Amino acid sequence: MPDEKGFKTLNLALQGGGAHGAYTWGVLDALLEDSRVHIEGVSGTSAGAMNAVAMAHGFAQAAREFKDPREAQLAGAAKARETLARLWEGVGGMGTLMWGIPMPMAGAFMNVISQWFSPYQMNPLGINPLRKLLVKEVDFELIGATNAKQVFVCATNVRTGRGEIFNGKRLSADAVMASACLPMLFKAVEIDGEHYWDGGYSGNPAIYPLIYKTESADILLVQINPINHDILPDDAQEIMERMNEVTFNAGLLAELRAIEFVRRLLAEGKLDQRRYKNVLMHRIDGGSVLSPFGAASKMRTDMSFLKQLFTLGRDSGTRWLKSHFKDIGQRPTLKLADNA
């Protein structure tokens, strides 16, 4: 429901997918431009985590400068858009997400070389230019100090195999790098004596922190990994790509099934509505939009390509707002039974 200030509140769940995260950048730009939308919390994995902290940085800056909540909201949205643009422009200057290896060689190189060498051999110093860029653009201490947005970043603990959520004072550049750490490309990220790999193995993205740690019942999932794949993969690379899609969607689908189960029990009066949140799920499906580009393009970061994805994301975000803004706080628009 609209609050006394005239805007509606929702949470965001942002999937990871390498350079395809530029599509999510576009979606966020459209949402942030619409002054009727108030984002309470955001959960992100990998590229989704980078988008999440960049957005939170903008709102944290505004919270420090403005005391009036409405002024902070409007200024924060503008600053968040600026931070996201700077971050992705920085990514666009890197060439690819594989130490500068040019496309289209990067995908083939990874498939071949990862069979014989680990990142501990190929990159023993753990060099990752994304971390330097992230530290430059995002003030993690400020995000924690202002608490302008609830941010949850998922990474996978190598020892336990379980997803771990970093937020509050534990939110850091290392946590975001852990969330984006593909084990065949980068050394595991060490945080407080534990080692972490990509959060996509355990939650892409993790939904449950938004259920338990925020007030809003509405969650908008920005999905960039396709769930359905209508053509049977029949060569080695296509099979591997589809296996990765299935793996990185598994945790999400499990959570969607749980949400649907709880919603059904609440509707049947079998659960106490004072104790269980009736989650209203929404989705912007970027997976179907991005599928034609192929999995190898997730490592392509030339600025022309990122801008193309940004435009696609903005269009999707604008269409979603036009079709479903009225549904926020009223009803879910994602049919979980069909997707879980």
Side-chain angles (χ1 to χ4, degrees), residues 48-102:
M50 293 183 63
N51 280 320
V53 297
M55 184 182 69
H57 171 81
F59 281 101
Q61 284 185 312
R64 180 178 59 185
E65 298 174 18
F66 298 91
K67 299 303 180 184
D68 180 75
R70 183 59 172 168
E71 289 183 353
Q73 166 68 19
L74 293 173
K79 290 178 180 293
R81 293 174 71 191
E82 293 170 1
T83 305
L84 283 161
R86 288 196 306 270
L87 180 67
W88 282 101
E89 286 166 1
V91 171
M94 293 181 182
T96 76
L97 298 182
M98 283 187 63
W99 313 308
I101 299 168

Short mmCIF file of all heavy atoms in Angstrom, two decimals, residues 48-102:
data_model
loop_
_atom_site.label_atom_id
_atom_site.label_comp_id
_atom_site.label_asym_id
_atom_site.label_seq_id
_atom_site.Cartn_x
_atom_site.Cartn_y
_atom_site.Cartn_z
N GLY A 48 24.95 -9.38 -8.85
CA GLY A 48 23.83 -8.82 -8.12
C GLY A 48 24.27 -8.17 -6.83
O GLY A 48 23.71 -7.15 -6.40
N ALA A 49 25.30 -8.73 -6.19
CA ALA A 49 25.83 -8.14 -4.97
C ALA A 49 26.53 -6.82 -5.27
O ALA A 49 26.42 -5.84 -4.51
CB ALA A 49 26.81 -9.10 -4.30
N MET A 50 27.24 -6.75 -6.39
CA MET A 50 27.89 -5.51 -6.79
C MET A 50 26.86 -4.42 -7.05
O MET A 50 27.02 -3.27 -6.62
CB MET A 50 28.75 -5.74 -8.03
CG MET A 50 29.95 -6.64 -7.79
SD MET A 50 31.00 -6.83 -9.25
CE MET A 50 31.54 -5.14 -9.50
N ASN A 51 25.79 -4.78 -7.74
CA ASN A 51 24.72 -3.81 -7.97
C ASN A 51 24.09 -3.37 -6.65
O ASN A 51 23.77 -2.19 -6.46
CB ASN A 51 23.65 -4.42 -8.87
CG ASN A 51 24.02 -4.38 -10.34
OD1 ASN A 51 24.58 -3.41 -10.82
ND2 ASN A 51 23.69 -5.45 -11.05
N ALA A 52 23.91 -4.31 -5.73
CA ALA A 52 23.27 -4.02 -4.45
C ALA A 52 24.08 -3.01 -3.64
O ALA A 52 23.53 -2.03 -3.11
CB ALA A 52 23.07 -5.30 -3.65
N VAL A 53 25.39 -3.23 -3.52
CA VAL A 53 26.19 -2.34 -2.68
C VAL A 53 26.40 -0.99 -3.36
O VAL A 53 26.50 0.05 -2.67
CB VAL A 53 27.54 -2.98 -2.29
CG1 VAL A 53 27.32 -4.24 -1.46
CG2 VAL A 53 28.40 -3.28 -3.50
N ALA A 54 26.46 -0.96 -4.69
CA ALA A 54 26.57 0.32 -5.38
C ALA A 54 25.32 1.16 -5.14
O ALA A 54 25.41 2.37 -4.88
CB ALA A 54 26.79 0.09 -6.88
N MET A 55 24.18 0.54 -5.22
CA MET A 55 22.93 1.25 -4.96
C MET A 55 22.87 1.72 -3.51
O MET A 55 22.52 2.88 -3.23
CB MET A 55 21.74 0.34 -5.27
CG MET A 55 20.39 1.02 -5.13
SD MET A 55 19.02 -0.10 -5.43
CE MET A 55 19.16 -1.15 -3.98
N ALA A 56 23.23 0.86 -2.58
CA ALA A 56 23.20 1.21 -1.17
C ALA A 56 24.15 2.35 -0.85
O ALA A 56 23.86 3.20 0.01
CB ALA A 56 23.54 -0.01 -0.32
N HIS A 57 25.28 2.41 -1.54
CA HIS A 57 26.24 3.49 -1.34
C HIS A 57 25.60 4.85 -1.63
O HIS A 57 25.79 5.81 -0.88
CB HIS A 57 27.46 3.28 -2.25
CG HIS A 57 28.41 4.43 -2.27
ND1 HIS A 57 29.35 4.65 -1.29
CD2 HIS A 57 28.56 5.46 -3.16
CE1 HIS A 57 30.04 5.73 -1.57
NE2 HIS A 57 29.57 6.25 -2.71
N GLY A 58 24.84 4.92 -2.73
CA GLY A 58 24.18 6.18 -3.07
C GLY A 58 23.20 6.62 -2.00
O GLY A 58 23.16 7.79 -1.60
N PHE A 59 22.40 5.69 -1.49
CA PHE A 59 21.44 6.02 -0.45
C PHE A 59 22.15 6.37 0.87
O PHE A 59 21.67 7.22 1.63
CB PHE A 59 20.46 4.88 -0.23
CG PHE A 59 19.38 4.82 -1.27
CD1 PHE A 59 19.45 3.92 -2.33
CD2 PHE A 59 18.30 5.68 -1.20
CE1 PHE A 59 18.45 3.87 -3.29
CE2 PHE A 59 17.30 5.64 -2.16
CZ PHE A 59 17.37 4.74 -3.21
N ALA A 60 23.28 5.73 1.14
CA ALA A 60 24.03 6.05 2.35
C ALA A 60 24.58 7.46 2.29
O ALA A 60 24.58 8.19 3.29
CB ALA A 60 25.16 5.04 2.54
N GLN A 61 25.06 7.86 1.13
CA GLN A 61 25.54 9.24 0.96
C GLN A 61 24.42 10.24 1.25
O GLN A 61 24.62 11.23 1.95
CB GLN A 61 26.06 9.45 -0.46
CG GLN A 61 27.42 8.84 -0.74
CD GLN A 61 27.89 9.19 -2.13
OE1 GLN A 61 27.16 9.07 -3.11
NE2 GLN A 61 29.13 9.65 -2.22
N ALA A 62 23.25 9.98 0.69
CA ALA A 62 22.12 10.89 0.89
C ALA A 62 21.67 10.92 2.34
O ALA A 62 21.30 11.98 2.87
CB ALA A 62 20.97 10.49 -0.03
N ALA A 63 21.68 9.76 3.00
CA ALA A 63 21.26 9.70 4.41
C ALA A 63 22.19 10.53 5.29
O ALA A 63 21.75 11.10 6.31
CB ALA A 63 21.23 8.26 4.88
N ARG A 64 23.45 10.60 4.91
CA ARG A 64 24.40 11.41 5.67
C ARG A 64 24.17 12.91 5.45
O ARG A 64 24.39 13.72 6.35
CB ARG A 64 25.83 11.05 5.24
CG ARG A 64 26.93 11.82 5.95
CD ARG A 64 28.30 11.35 5.49
NE ARG A 64 28.46 11.52 4.04
CZ ARG A 64 29.54 11.11 3.35
NH1 ARG A 64 30.53 10.50 4.00
NH2 ARG A 64 29.62 11.30 2.05
N GLU A 65 23.67 13.27 4.26
CA GLU A 65 23.53 14.67 3.91
C GLU A 65 22.15 15.25 4.22
O GLU A 65 22.02 16.46 4.44
CB GLU A 65 23.82 14.86 2.41
CG GLU A 65 25.25 14.49 2.02
CD GLU A 65 25.47 14.54 0.52
OE1 GLU A 65 24.65 15.17 -0.18
OE2 GLU A 65 26.46 13.94 0.04
N PHE A 66 21.11 14.40 4.22
CA PHE A 66 19.74 14.90 4.38
C PHE A 66 19.07 14.24 5.58
O PHE A 66 19.12 13.02 5.74
CB PHE A 66 18.91 14.62 3.12
CG PHE A 66 19.42 15.32 1.89
CD1 PHE A 66 20.32 14.67 1.05
CD2 PHE A 66 19.00 16.60 1.57
CE1 PHE A 66 20.80 15.30 -0.09
CE2 PHE A 66 19.48 17.24 0.43
CZ PHE A 66 20.38 16.59 -0.41
N LYS A 67 18.42 15.05 6.40
CA LYS A 67 17.71 14.53 7.58
C LYS A 67 16.26 14.19 7.25
O LYS A 67 15.69 13.27 7.83
CB LYS A 67 17.76 15.55 8.72
CG LYS A 67 19.18 15.87 9.18
CD LYS A 67 19.92 14.61 9.60
CE LYS A 67 21.34 14.93 10.06
NZ LYS A 67 22.12 13.71 10.39
N ASP A 68 15.66 14.94 6.34
CA ASP A 68 14.28 14.67 5.96
C ASP A 68 14.21 13.38 5.16
O ASP A 68 14.92 13.23 4.15
CB ASP A 68 13.73 15.82 5.12
CG ASP A 68 12.29 15.57 4.69
OD1 ASP A 68 11.39 15.70 5.53
OD2 ASP A 68 12.08 15.21 3.51
N PRO A 69 13.39 12.41 5.56
CA PRO A 69 13.36 11.11 4.87
C PRO A 69 13.01 11.20 3.38
O PRO A 69 13.58 10.47 2.57
CB PRO A 69 12.29 10.33 5.64
CG PRO A 69 12.23 10.97 6.98
CD PRO A 69 12.51 12.42 6.74
N ARG A 70 12.08 12.08 3.05
CA ARG A 70 11.69 12.20 1.64
C ARG A 70 12.82 12.78 0.80
O ARG A 70 13.10 12.32 -0.31
CB ARG A 70 10.43 13.07 1.53
CG ARG A 70 9.89 13.21 0.10
CD ARG A 70 9.54 11.85 -0.48
NE ARG A 70 8.87 11.97 -1.77
CZ ARG A 70 8.66 10.98 -2.59
NH1 ARG A 70 9.08 9.75 -2.28
NH2 ARG A 70 8.03 11.16 -3.73
N GLU A 71 13.50 13.80 1.33
CA GLU A 71 14.64 14.37 0.62
C GLU A 71 15.76 13.34 0.48
O GLU A 71 16.40 13.25 -0.58
CB GLU A 71 15.16 15.61 1.37
CG GLU A 71 14.24 16.82 1.29
CD GLU A 71 14.84 18.02 1.99
OE1 GLU A 71 15.90 17.86 2.63
OE2 GLU A 71 14.27 19.12 1.87
N ALA A 72 15.99 12.57 1.54
CA ALA A 72 17.04 11.53 1.50
C ALA A 72 16.69 10.46 0.47
O ALA A 72 17.57 9.95 -0.24
CB ALA A 72 17.22 10.91 2.87
N GLN A 73 15.41 10.12 0.36
CA GLN A 73 14.97 9.11 -0.60
C GLN A 73 15.22 9.59 -2.03
O GLN A 73 15.79 8.87 -2.86
CB GLN A 73 13.49 8.81 -0.40
CG GLN A 73 12.81 8.04 -1.53
CD GLN A 73 13.29 6.61 -1.67
OE1 GLN A 73 13.87 6.07 -0.74
NE2 GLN A 73 13.06 6.01 -2.82
N LEU A 74 14.82 10.81 -2.33
CA LEU A 74 14.97 11.33 -3.69
C LEU A 74 16.44 11.53 -4.05
O LEU A 74 16.88 11.15 -5.14
CB LEU A 74 14.20 12.65 -3.82
CG LEU A 74 12.69 12.56 -3.72
CD1 LEU A 74 12.05 13.95 -3.70
CD2 LEU A 74 12.12 11.73 -4.88
N ALA A 75 17.19 12.12 -3.12
CA ALA A 75 18.61 12.32 -3.38
C ALA A 75 19.35 10.99 -3.45
O ALA A 75 20.27 10.81 -4.26
CB ALA A 75 19.21 13.21 -2.29
N GLY A 76 18.95 10.05 -2.60
CA GLY A 76 19.60 8.74 -2.60
C GLY A 76 19.40 7.99 -3.90
O GLY A 76 20.33 7.35 -4.41
N ALA A 77 18.20 8.08 -4.46
CA ALA A 77 17.94 7.43 -5.73
C ALA A 77 18.84 7.99 -6.82
O ALA A 77 19.40 7.25 -7.65
CB ALA A 77 16.47 7.58 -6.11
N ALA A 78 18.99 9.33 -6.84
CA ALA A 78 19.85 9.96 -7.84
C ALA A 78 21.31 9.56 -7.66
O ALA A 78 22.02 9.24 -8.63
CB ALA A 78 19.70 11.47 -7.77
N LYS A 79 21.77 9.56 -6.41
CA LYS A 79 23.16 9.19 -6.13
C LYS A 79 23.40 7.71 -6.41
O LYS A 79 24.49 7.32 -6.86
CB LYS A 79 23.52 9.53 -4.68
CG LYS A 79 23.60 11.03 -4.40
CD LYS A 79 23.92 11.28 -2.94
CE LYS A 79 24.00 12.78 -2.64
NZ LYS A 79 25.17 13.40 -3.31
N ALA A 80 22.40 6.87 -6.16
CA ALA A 80 22.54 5.44 -6.45
C ALA A 80 22.69 5.22 -7.95
O ALA A 80 23.51 4.40 -8.39
CB ALA A 80 21.32 4.69 -5.92
N ARG A 81 21.93 5.93 -8.75
CA ARG A 81 22.04 5.82 -10.20
C ARG A 81 23.44 6.25 -10.66
O ARG A 81 24.04 5.62 -11.55
CB ARG A 81 20.99 6.68 -10.89
CG ARG A 81 19.56 6.20 -10.66
CD ARG A 81 18.55 7.18 -11.24
NE ARG A 81 18.57 7.13 -12.71
CZ ARG A 81 17.96 8.01 -13.48
NH1 ARG A 81 17.28 9.03 -12.94
NH2 ARG A 81 18.00 7.89 -14.79
N GLU A 82 23.97 7.29 -10.05
CA GLU A 82 25.30 7.76 -10.41
C GLU A 82 26.37 6.74 -10.04
O GLU A 82 27.29 6.47 -10.82
CB GLU A 82 25.58 9.09 -9.70
CG GLU A 82 24.72 10.25 -10.18
CD GLU A 82 24.86 11.48 -9.29
OE1 GLU A 82 25.65 11.42 -8.31
OE2 GLU A 82 24.19 12.49 -9.57
N THR A 83 26.25 6.15 -8.86
CA THR A 83 27.24 5.16 -8.42
C THR A 83 27.20 3.92 -9.30
O THR A 83 28.25 3.38 -9.69
CB THR A 83 27.00 4.76 -6.96
OG1 THR A 83 26.98 5.94 -6.14
CG2 THR A 83 28.10 3.83 -6.46
N LEU A 84 26.02 3.46 -9.63
CA LEU A 84 25.88 2.30 -10.51
C LEU A 84 26.51 2.58 -11.87
O LEU A 84 27.21 1.72 -12.44
CB LEU A 84 24.40 1.93 -10.68
CG LEU A 84 23.77 1.19 -9.50
CD1 LEU A 84 22.25 1.30 -9.56
CD2 LEU A 84 24.20 -0.27 -9.50
N ALA A 85 26.28 3.77 -12.41
CA ALA A 85 26.85 4.12 -13.71
C ALA A 85 28.37 4.14 -13.65
O ALA A 85 29.05 3.61 -14.55
CB ALA A 85 26.30 5.47 -14.18
N ARG A 86 28.94 4.73 -12.60
CA ARG A 86 30.40 4.77 -12.48
C ARG A 86 30.98 3.37 -12.35
O ARG A 86 32.03 3.06 -12.94
CB ARG A 86 30.82 5.63 -11.28
CG ARG A 86 30.62 7.12 -11.45
CD ARG A 86 31.41 7.90 -10.41
NE ARG A 86 31.11 7.45 -9.05
CZ ARG A 86 30.15 7.96 -8.29
NH1 ARG A 86 29.37 8.92 -8.77
NH2 ARG A 86 29.96 7.51 -7.06
N LEU A 87 30.30 2.53 -11.56
CA LEU A 87 30.80 1.17 -11.37
C LEU A 87 30.85 0.41 -12.69
O LEU A 87 31.87 -0.20 -13.04
CB LEU A 87 29.90 0.43 -10.37
CG LEU A 87 30.29 -1.02 -10.07
CD1 LEU A 87 31.62 -1.08 -9.33
CD2 LEU A 87 29.21 -1.72 -9.25
N TRP A 88 29.77 0.46 -13.46
CA TRP A 88 29.72 -0.29 -14.71
C TRP A 88 30.60 0.33 -15.79
O TRP A 88 31.14 -0.39 -16.65
CB TRP A 88 28.28 -0.46 -15.16
CG TRP A 88 27.60 -1.54 -14.38
CD1 TRP A 88 26.74 -1.39 -13.34
CD2 TRP A 88 27.77 -2.95 -14.54
NE1 TRP A 88 26.36 -2.61 -12.84
CE2 TRP A 88 26.97 -3.59 -13.56
CE3 TRP A 88 28.52 -3.73 -15.42
CZ2 TRP A 88 26.92 -4.98 -13.45
CZ3 TRP A 88 28.46 -5.12 -15.31
CH2 TRP A 88 27.67 -5.73 -14.33
N GLU A 89 30.77 1.63 -15.75
CA GLU A 89 31.72 2.24 -16.67
C GLU A 89 33.14 1.79 -16.35
O GLU A 89 33.96 1.59 -17.25
CB GLU A 89 31.61 3.77 -16.60
CG GLU A 89 30.35 4.31 -17.28
CD GLU A 89 30.06 5.75 -16.92
OE1 GLU A 89 30.85 6.36 -16.16
OE2 GLU A 89 29.03 6.28 -17.39
N GLY A 90 33.42 1.60 -15.07
CA GLY A 90 34.71 1.06 -14.67
C GLY A 90 34.90 -0.37 -15.13
O GLY A 90 35.97 -0.75 -15.62
N VAL A 91 33.84 -1.17 -15.00
CA VAL A 91 33.89 -2.55 -15.51
C VAL A 91 34.13 -2.54 -17.02
O VAL A 91 34.90 -3.35 -17.55
CB VAL A 91 32.58 -3.30 -15.17
CG1 VAL A 91 32.53 -4.65 -15.88
CG2 VAL A 91 32.44 -3.48 -13.67
N GLY A 92 33.50 -1.59 -17.71
CA GLY A 92 33.64 -1.51 -19.16
C GLY A 92 35.04 -1.18 -19.62
O GLY A 92 35.38 -1.41 -20.79
N GLY A 93 35.88 -0.68 -18.72
CA GLY A 93 37.26 -0.39 -19.09
C GLY A 93 38.21 -1.54 -18.86
O GLY A 93 39.41 -1.42 -19.11
N MET A 94 37.69 -2.68 -18.42
CA MET A 94 38.55 -3.82 -18.09
C MET A 94 38.78 -4.78 -19.24
O MET A 94 39.68 -5.61 -19.18
CB MET A 94 37.96 -4.59 -16.90
CG MET A 94 37.98 -3.82 -15.62
SD MET A 94 37.31 -4.80 -14.25
CE MET A 94 37.42 -3.59 -12.94
N GLY A 95 37.95 -4.76 -20.26
CA GLY A 95 38.12 -5.69 -21.38
C GLY A 95 37.30 -6.93 -21.22
O GLY A 95 36.38 -7.17 -21.98
N THR A 96 37.58 -7.77 -20.21
CA THR A 96 36.75 -8.92 -19.85
C THR A 96 36.89 -9.14 -18.36
O THR A 96 37.67 -8.47 -17.69
CB THR A 96 37.17 -10.23 -20.58
OG1 THR A 96 38.35 -10.73 -19.95
CG2 THR A 96 37.42 -10.02 -22.05
N LEU A 97 36.14 -10.10 -17.83
CA LEU A 97 36.26 -10.45 -16.43
C LEU A 97 37.31 -11.53 -16.21
O LEU A 97 37.35 -12.17 -15.18
CB LEU A 97 34.90 -10.93 -15.90
CG LEU A 97 33.78 -9.89 -15.96
CD1 LEU A 97 32.50 -10.47 -15.38
CD2 LEU A 97 34.16 -8.62 -15.25
N MET A 98 38.18 -11.74 -17.20
CA MET A 98 39.23 -12.77 -17.09
C MET A 98 40.60 -12.16 -17.35
O MET A 98 41.25 -12.43 -18.34
CB MET A 98 38.98 -13.91 -18.07
CG MET A 98 37.89 -14.87 -17.65
SD MET A 98 37.82 -16.27 -18.76
CE MET A 98 39.43 -16.99 -18.50
N TRP A 99 41.02 -11.26 -16.47
CA TRP A 99 42.37 -10.72 -16.50
C TRP A 99 42.73 -10.13 -17.86
O TRP A 99 43.86 -10.26 -18.33
CB TRP A 99 43.39 -11.80 -16.12
CG TRP A 99 43.02 -12.57 -14.91
CD1 TRP A 99 42.67 -12.05 -13.71
CD2 TRP A 99 42.90 -13.98 -14.78
NE1 TRP A 99 42.35 -13.05 -12.83
CE2 TRP A 99 42.49 -14.25 -13.45
CE3 TRP A 99 43.12 -15.05 -15.64
CZ2 TRP A 99 42.28 -15.52 -12.99
CZ3 TRP A 99 42.92 -16.32 -15.16
CH2 TRP A 99 42.51 -16.54 -13.86
N GLY A 100 41.76 -9.51 -18.56
CA GLY A 100 42.05 -8.82 -19.79
C GLY A 100 42.12 -9.68 -21.03
O GLY A 100 42.51 -9.21 -22.10
N ILE A 101 41.75 -10.97 -20.95
CA ILE A 101 41.76 -11.83 -22.15
C ILE A 101 40.63 -11.37 -23.07
O ILE A 101 39.48 -11.25 -22.62
CB ILE A 101 41.56 -13.30 -21.76
CG1 ILE A 101 42.70 -13.76 -20.87
CG2 ILE A 101 41.47 -14.18 -23.00
CD1 ILE A 101 42.44 -15.09 -20.21
N PRO A 102 40.90 -11.09 -24.33
CA PRO A 102 39.87 -10.51 -25.20
C PRO A 102 38.81 -11.53 -25.58
O PRO A 102 39.05 -12.72 -25.70
CB PRO A 102 40.67 -10.08 -26.44
CG PRO A 102 41.85 -10.98 -26.47
CD PRO A 102 42.20 -11.23 -25.02
#
